[in-house]
Amino acid sequence: MEKETFISKKSIEEMLSLSGPGARDLREKAARVRDECVGRKVYFRGLIEFSNICSNDCFYCGIRSSNSKTERYTMTPGEIMECVRFCDESGYGSVVLQSGERRDGEFTGFVTETVSAIKSEFPEMRITLSVGEQDRETLRRFYQAGAERYLLRIETSNSSHYRKLHPEKMVFENRRNCLETLRRIGFQVGTGVMIASPYQEIADLAGDLLFMKAIDIDMVGMGPYLPQKDNTLKDWSYDPQEALRLSLNMIAVLRIMMPDINIAATSALQVLDENGREKAIASGANIVMPNVTPLKYRQAYSLYDNRPCVLDTPYGCYNCITQRIEGTGLLPAKGEKGDSLRFLKRKGKRIDVCNC
Ligand code: SF4
């Protein structure tokens, strides 16, 4: 971490505003920083979208609670285990269990039991939970059951911007406090923001990167805001090329600011550009999350329109993403867990890769 230098908010805004050759140089620099610090490997997380039932009503989201057009589902424990088995056989060192947000005992108990079952059959498999804000005791139970990582996106670090994207009952401070609780419990903690979202300004994005640095985040999954036909913000004017430019610049600047974290090349980028994930890797990302959710559920996890890969089988995604990574000249890190080096350093663990 000693190579990290302070970058002012103004400088970050200037870097985020780059386009053309300036943006190309920025992204190439970020890729070099990634190569030098965490190596030329891309790690896999098998994404299991196990339920699209959500008690929240975020204005930008296709599976928000008030969208009556969404067909709701929850996968059975057997179906989830099948997905994990596939990940294990495919050499994915890690799975992400993702769902809408619920805090009722039936749901949190289901998550705890599922994590325990996975750990009992696959003790080496790293588990990331992405199941929204939960209270401290629930999070502690998840951790004790065997979940090591937790992804909780804040979507924006500006509380007044947050207010414009969420209903009254959702409070930015609660989300930020939850990130702190996750850290105290011992999780590897991830967050993320929406880029080019309604009402957002360049200063907000610069603030988001400074927020991630201030809370010393271990991993980040950020991607472009994408319209969804049933959401309340669907008429917001939207420029896909601008969203792509900003998204790649965000990844690049974050990599330069925090060389040793994990940064995902999110599949949302592929909506904007067929090679969106490769471009993210070329801008400093080092994580991919191939979807392993059974095909019959994919369409119903409709966070945004035109989701990629909804008709690709898990085997298809495996082959496709492997070829895409190889096409970038990096190594698909099969059979490796890919823990965040920043997290390992904080824990005082021995590091063989990091050169920073
Ligand atoms: S963004 Fe997450 S919490 Fe918000 S409505 Fe969608 S699934 Fe629920």
Side-chain angles (χ1 to χ4, degrees):
M1 276 183 266
E2 45 280 14
K3 277 194 188 162
E4 286 183 20
T5 49
F6 174 75
I7 305 178
S8 70
K9 189 169 184 185
K10 188 165 182 314
S11 299
I12 295 173
E13 287 179 31
E14 285 168 2
M15 286 193 277
L16 294 178
S17 302
L18 290 170
S19 58
R24 186 197 59 215
D25 292 348
L26 172 74
R27 296 167 195 167
E28 287 177 359
K29 177 179 175 183
R32 284 196 301 276
V33 170
R34 186 260 330 276
D35 294 353
E36 284 168 16
C37 187
V38 298
R40 291 177 57 79
K41 286 184 180 176
V42 178
Y43 298 93
F44 288 73
R45 282 81 173 97
L47 175 63
I48 306 170
E49 297 161 334
F50 70 91
S51 175
N52 68 351
I53 301 174
C54 187
S55 54
N56 283 341
D57 209 29
C58 306
F59 301 151
Y60 48 84
C61 179
I63 63 170
R64 64 202 172 90
S65 57
S66 65
N67 184 5
S68 56
K69 294 181 187 156
T70 295
E71 200 176 321
R72 305 288 168 172
Y73 72 86
T74 298
M75 288 167 60
T76 65
E79 288 174 325
I80 296 172
M81 289 307 286
E82 266 309 300
C83 295
V84 180
R85 218 160 277 132
F86 172 82
C87 292
D88 182 60
E89 287 163 6
S90 305
Y92 298 175
S94 169
V95 292
V96 179
L97 297 177
Q98 188 168 74
S99 70
E101 184 171 308
R102 286 170 58 190
R103 292 186 206 135
D104 56 280
E106 183 188 352
F107 175 76
T108 59
F110 178 83
V111 174
T112 308
E113 284 166 24
T114 301
V115 170
S116 291
I118 294 172
K119 274 292 174 187
S120 143
E121 190 169 340
F122 303 100
E124 294 303 313
M125 183 66 79
R126 289 279 193 269
I127 301 174
T128 303
L129 290 178
S130 176
V131 296
E133 279 173 49
Q134 303 290 343
D135 63 42
R136 184 188 308 266
E137 278 319 303
T138 302
L139 295 172
R140 204 185 296 278
R141 278 198 295 276
F142 292 165
Y143 185 75
Q144 285 166 348
E148 298 98 344
R149 305 171 182 166
Y150 204 102
L151 177 63
L152 182 70
R153 285 179 47 146
I154 46 159
E155 308 304 356
T156 172
S157 62
N158 176 335
S159 56
S160 58
H161 184 214
Y162 189 89
R163 181 76 295 117
K164 292 175 182 166
L165 301 175
H166 301 92
E168 202 73 18
K169 70 167 194 168
M170 291 182 69
V171 179
F172 172 77
E173 282 69 26
N174 293 347
R175 211 149 184 94
R176 188 184 55 203
N177 292 342
C178 191
L179 285 169
E180 286 169 9
T181 302
L182 288 162
R183 164 61 48 75
R184 280 198 292 273
I185 290 172
F187 283 98
Q188 271 179 67
V189 183
T191 193
V193 294
M194 269 188 313
I195 300 162
S197 65
Y199 312 108
Q200 188 179 59
E201 297 180 7
I202 199 83
D204 295 323
L205 289 170
D208 292 341
L209 296 179
L210 288 168
F211 173 85
M212 291 175 202
K213 173 110 178 167
I215 64 169
D216 199 21
I217 205 71
D218 300 312
M219 50 192 199
V220 171
M222 55 186 174
Y225 163 77
L226 292 166
Q228 205 280 339
K229 60 182 170 22
D230 301 317
N231 80 30
T232 55
L233 300 167
K234 64 180 183 300
D235 297 326
W236 187 264
S237 121
Y238 186 68
D239 178 349
Q241 282 314 306
E242 175 63 2
L244 178 66
R245 185 191 67 77
L246 271 175
S247 298
L248 298 177
N249 285 2
M250 282 285 282
I251 288 171
V253 177
L254 182 61
R255 174 60 71 193
I256 292 166
M257 291 171 69
M258 304 182 77
D260 52 1
I261 64 171
N262 282 338
I263 304 178
T266 56
S267 55
L269 284 163
Q270 207 172 312
V271 178
L272 302 177
D273 185 312
E274 166 56 24
N275 297 316
R277 283 188 284 185
E278 289 95 318
K279 289 183 178 178
I281 290 169
S283 303
N286 68 328
I287 301 290
V288 288
M289 297 167 61
N291 199 330
V292 297
T293 311
L295 281 189
K296 64 178 175 177
Y297 298 122
R298 296 259 186 111
Q299 205 86 44
Y301 207 86
S302 51
L303 299 176
Y304 48 81
D305 293 337
N306 306 316
R307 287 191 81 204
C309 317
V310 287
L311 299 176
D312 291 330
T313 63
Y315 286 105
C317 285
Y318 168 90
N319 289 328
C320 169
I321 198 69
T322 299
Q323 283 168 14
R324 284 174 185 272
I325 294 168
E326 286 170 349
T328 67
L330 271 74
L331 186 68
K334 298 279 172 64
E336 298 189 42
K337 297 172 184 67
D339 285 311
S340 160
L341 289 184
R342 197 174 191 90
F343 174 82
L344 295 178
K345 285 178 185 173
R346 195 183 305 110
K347 291 280 172 191
K349 302 249 175 88
R350 182 169 166 267
I351 311 293
D352 292 327
V353 182
C354 186
N355 296 313
C356 41

